[in-house]
Amino acid sequence: MYNRVLLKLSGEALAGATGTGIDPATVDRVVCQLVELAGKGVQIAIVVGGGNFWRGRQGVAMDKVTADHMGMLATIMNALALQDAIEKKGVPTRVQTALSIPAVAEPFILRKALRHFECGRIVIFACGTGNPYFTTDSGAALRAAEIKADVLLMAKNVDGVYDSDPKSNKNAKKFDTLSYMDVLNKNIAVMDFTSVTMCMENNIPIVAFGLNEENSIIRAANGEKIGTVIK
């Protein structure tokens, strides 16, 4: 079992089958696993996306910076929803944002985040890096490096990393393991290059797995063989 994990959740994952909004059943399934891990002493950080509300590419007709900031605001809605669901199950949680919104969340302060872990709190990081042109995957890699996470868990809509889209190609090959350089050199779509490079430079293993598999978050955090391991 890893001691400190960073879980990257896409906004679409929280939406369930509809692809938009927040699906209570999906959130509950995720939260139950997080609560179980927290009860075993695992220190948990979460970076959540906002694609179920807004994606930067939706704003093609507007300024890129404006569109990206709208995406950051969408992540806050998901972060607050997760916080509410987790705390209803009795686990204290803090949301920290890369953009300053003190009325609803703390600003990101590394020392405070580390103290929250020591106190048994789950920490949810919103707004990515706080900068346009950077994805929430980049935010996840950055926060994982800053908090010295043992692993970056990438919860995805498929059960690992494939050489092509398994939804459109029934012969797509799943990788059990990949090196960082494999991902970069072969242009494998799992994270953006900035994120992969940051993990490589900081020796943070990445586990990409299917969120919809039974107890997948728990299994990944336990170090079980699941999905695709990149290191």
Side-chain angles (χ1 to χ4, degrees):
M1 180 181 293
Y2 295 107
N3 178 56
R4 180 178 295 166
V5 304
L6 189 142
L7 172 66
K8 169 57 172 56
L9 285 171
S10 69
E12 292 92 332
L14 298 180
T18 64
T20 59
I22 296 173
D23 177 53
T26 299
V27 171
D28 187 70
R29 188 173 69 251
V30 169
V31 166
C32 285
Q33 294 181 72
L34 296 175
V35 169
E36 181 174 336
L37 287 172
K40 294 178 180 178
V42 179
Q43 297 178 353
I44 303 169
I46 304 168
V47 167
V48 61
N52 51 327
F53 292 118
W54 177 265
R55 297 187 68 88
R57 63 173 176 261
Q58 288 174 255
V60 291
M62 65 173 61
D63 176 72
K64 169 68 173 172
V65 174
T66 300
D68 282 359
H69 278 125
M70 291 174 67
M72 294 177 208
L73 295 176
T75 70
I76 295 172
M77 290 190 282
N78 285 329
L80 293 176
L82 279 173
Q83 180 184 43
D84 181 74
I86 294 168
E87 292 198 331
K88 282 181 177 176
K89 295 187 182 295
V91 178
T93 309
R94 296 293 185 272
V95 174
Q96 292 195 341
T97 61
L99 297 179
S100 181
I101 310 178
V104 297
E106 299 176 358
F108 170 68
I109 300 173
L110 177 59
R111 288 182 179 272
K112 290 190 72 171
L114 297 177
R115 179 59 180 161
H116 291 323
F117 294 140
E118 293 171 359
C119 295
R121 300 172 186 134
I122 292 174
V123 183
I124 305 171
F125 298 121
C127 299
T129 68
N131 300 289
Y133 294 95
F134 288 88
T135 67
T136 49
D137 284 352
S138 295
L142 174 61
R143 296 291 181 250
E146 289 176 310
I147 68 173
K148 294 180 170 57
D150 298 318
V151 65
L152 172 54
L153 305 179
M154 295 285 296
K156 304 180 75 65
N157 293 325
V158 292
D159 63 347
V161 180
Y162 288 77
D163 60 355
S164 60
D165 186 355
K167 295 179 181 179
S168 58
N169 178 12
K170 64 179 182 180
N171 296 316
K173 175 187 174 184
K174 180 183 174 184
F175 299 103
D176 291 326
T177 60
L178 286 166
S179 70
Y180 302 113
M181 292 308 299
D182 285 336
V183 175
L184 297 173
N185 291 334
K186 297 178 182 179
N187 195 23
I188 297 173
V190 55
M191 301 170 73
D192 63 74
F193 284 3
T194 300
S195 311
V196 176
T197 301
M198 188 173 297
C199 289
M200 179 173 65
E201 291 177 344
N202 292 280
N203 198 30
I204 302 169
I206 304 163
V207 181
F209 62 95
L211 180 63
N212 292 327
E213 292 187 63
E214 185 175 1
N215 290 326
S216 59
I217 298 173
I218 293 173
R219 292 165 60 199
N222 282 340
E224 294 181 24
K225 186 177 180 180
I226 184 173
T228 302
V229 178
I230 303 167
K231 61 182 181 178

